Amino acid sequence: MGWRGMLGFDYGIVQAPLGPDISGPELVAAVANAGALGLLRAPDWEAPDHVRELIMKTRSLTDKPFGIGVVLAFPHKENLRVILDEQVAVLQLYWGECTEEIVNEAHKAGVKVVPQVGSIEEVKKATDAGADAIILQGREAGGHVISQESMISLVPRAIDIVQGRNIPIIAAGGIVDERGYVSALALGAQGIALGTRFLATDESYAHPTYKRKLIEYSTTEYTDVFGRARWPGAPHRVLKTPFFMDWRNLPSDVNEAAQPIIGHATIHGVDKEIRRFAGTVPNATATGDLESMVMYAGEGVGLIKEILPADEVVRRLVEGARRMIHERLTDDSSV
């Protein structure tokens, strides 16, 4: 079923590192225990002690390997030091260059490096840097989107680049069910990464209102309305909530910096104000005007009909893909 056996994972399924703290220890452990790769999300600021706590709590909930995602656009050197010191199985990197230096340091610590990229040029750079696998994100993805092309056009070209290099390509962007899984495998990917589908699980740290909106709304839009001051030049895909639709044409010179405070949340143990147009999704602690907060989601959100336990998401993906391959794609004459 793709990526089978790498690092001991049973299935080629990766739970994306959902920010800012939506993929916490409970979700990551549940995914790991189900045989897939769960990824914590490191804070977007230096917090080495908290990173260590996240790792230790996750280890108290599972004896399986897991990983942690780091956004290179934010301060991260001290966080990275702890991750390597703790020898977490997988270091996932995003929104920044996966350098040979980072890869070599991680390999010395026994840590695999899996960058997430959004272009063929970035695939080439990650390959040359010695990445152990590459998550290739299409424009269909939710949250911050680094790609300008669709997954269906990117994956086959990436496969040609890494051919013979033993570097798995993991497809990401709009995948929520077994049909997306099989489609990615047909393109040549050896695994899939899912964000929105794992966001809509019992164990995710998203606010119940956010989870409910994932069921309620079925369409998304690629935009740059949210978080312009904090993370400039970082477009994203969001649910078409009434608030977003009212402000989708926000003038380009307006950002969240001078906007009113619409809520509060405790994020990675730190109390934070949430301003209008901030790029901060409502986690389980969020209070205030939740309806006006950003709600990231990928294009496949319309296929999500219920909130499920994370292990059930993995089970349905695996069993559904196996059934689909056997019933629809297997040549009966060769069975």
Side-chain angles (χ1 to χ4, degrees):
M1 288 301 296
W3 215 31
R4 186 177 180 87
M6 183 176 178
L7 300 175
F9 299 106
D10 295 326
Y11 310 118
I13 297 169
V14 180
Q15 164 254 303
L18 304 167
D21 61 352
I22 304 302
S23 57
E26 291 78 11
L27 175 58
V28 171
V31 171
N33 287 332
L37 170 56
L39 296 173
L40 295 165
R41 168 68 181 273
D44 293 338
W45 57 88
E46 296 285 23
D49 291 341
H50 182 74
V51 171
R52 199 180 301 273
E53 289 176 10
L54 287 174
I55 295 169
M56 297 308 293
K57 184 172 183 181
T58 306
R59 284 178 173 158
S60 74
L61 299 173
T62 182
D63 60 359
K64 301 289 184 65
F66 58 89
I68 184 166
V70 173
V71 177
L72 296 174
F74 299 113
H76 59 271
K77 290 185 178 180
E78 291 302 307
N79 296 338
L80 188 58
R81 178 183 57 78
V82 170
I83 292 167
L84 300 186
D85 183 55
E86 289 291 337
Q87 297 182 305
V88 175
V90 174
L91 168 65
Q92 190 259 11
L93 302 173
Y94 190 39
W95 217 275
E97 186 176 356
C98 172
T99 65
E100 188 174 354
E101 179 183 2
I102 293 176
V103 172
N104 289 340
E105 287 298 312
H107 285 173
K108 287 178 184 177
V111 175
K112 300 289 187 181
V113 179
V114 181
Q116 179 166 300
V117 304
S119 70
I120 295 304
E121 184 60 34
E122 289 178 295
V123 170
K124 294 176 181 176
K125 289 180 179 179
T127 300
D128 291 341
D132 297 283
I134 298 171
I135 298 175
L136 185 54
Q137 181 197 56
R139 188 182 165 101
E140 307 92 334
H144 291 89
V145 184
I146 202 167
S147 179
Q148 295 296 317
E149 298 183 66
S150 69
M151 184 183 68
I152 197 170
S153 67
L154 285 170
V155 171
R157 286 184 288 156
I159 296 300
D160 291 342
I161 290 170
V162 302
Q163 193 168 21
R165 301 287 292 270
N166 195 31
I167 301 175
I169 295 294
I170 302 161
I175 302 171
V176 298
D177 64 10
E178 69 274 12
R179 291 168 291 184
Y181 193 177
V182 174
S183 297
L185 294 177
L187 291 172
Q190 291 180 263
I192 55 171
L194 304 91
T196 309
R197 176 61 271 190
F198 282 112
L199 177 64
T201 58
D202 293 337
E203 295 90 347
S204 95
Y205 201 53
H207 194 281
T209 296
Y210 186 7
K211 295 183 186 182
R212 188 169 66 249
K213 298 299 182 185
L214 296 170
I215 308 299
E216 183 178 345
Y217 294 100
S218 60
T219 56
T220 64
E221 187 164 318
Y222 180 84
T223 183
D224 74 338
V225 164
F226 298 97
R228 290 172 175 172
R230 174 177 171 272
W231 197 347
H236 34 273
R237 184 172 297 282
V238 303
L239 288 176
K240 287 185 176 181
T241 62
F243 175 82
F244 171 72
M245 297 304 288
D246 286 343
W247 293 97
R248 64 192 296 194
N249 295 317
L250 187 72
S252 60
D253 61 342
V254 177
N255 61 43
E256 71 274 23
Q259 296 297 312
I261 296 169
I262 61 170
H264 294 81
T266 302
I267 301 172
H268 287 300
V270 179
D271 292 334
K272 296 280 188 178
E273 296 175 339
I274 300 177
R275 295 184 180 273
R276 186 170 62 181
F277 307 134
T280 305
V281 298
N283 69 12
T285 72
T287 59
D289 184 6
L290 302 175
E291 303 280 341
S292 297
M293 295 179 188
V294 64
M295 296 185 183
Y296 302 125
E299 283 189 344
V301 68
L303 297 172
I304 299 175
K305 305 300 183 184
E306 58 186 328
I307 307 301
L308 295 170
D311 63 349
E312 180 67 8
V313 170
V314 175
R315 187 188 69 79
R316 290 189 184 189
L317 283 165
V318 173
E319 293 183 0
R322 283 176 172 161
R323 184 171 57 250
M324 187 176 180
I325 290 170
H326 178 73
E327 294 177 358
R328 302 188 187 185
L329 303 178
T330 302
D331 181 355
D332 290 341
S333 64
S334 64
V335 174

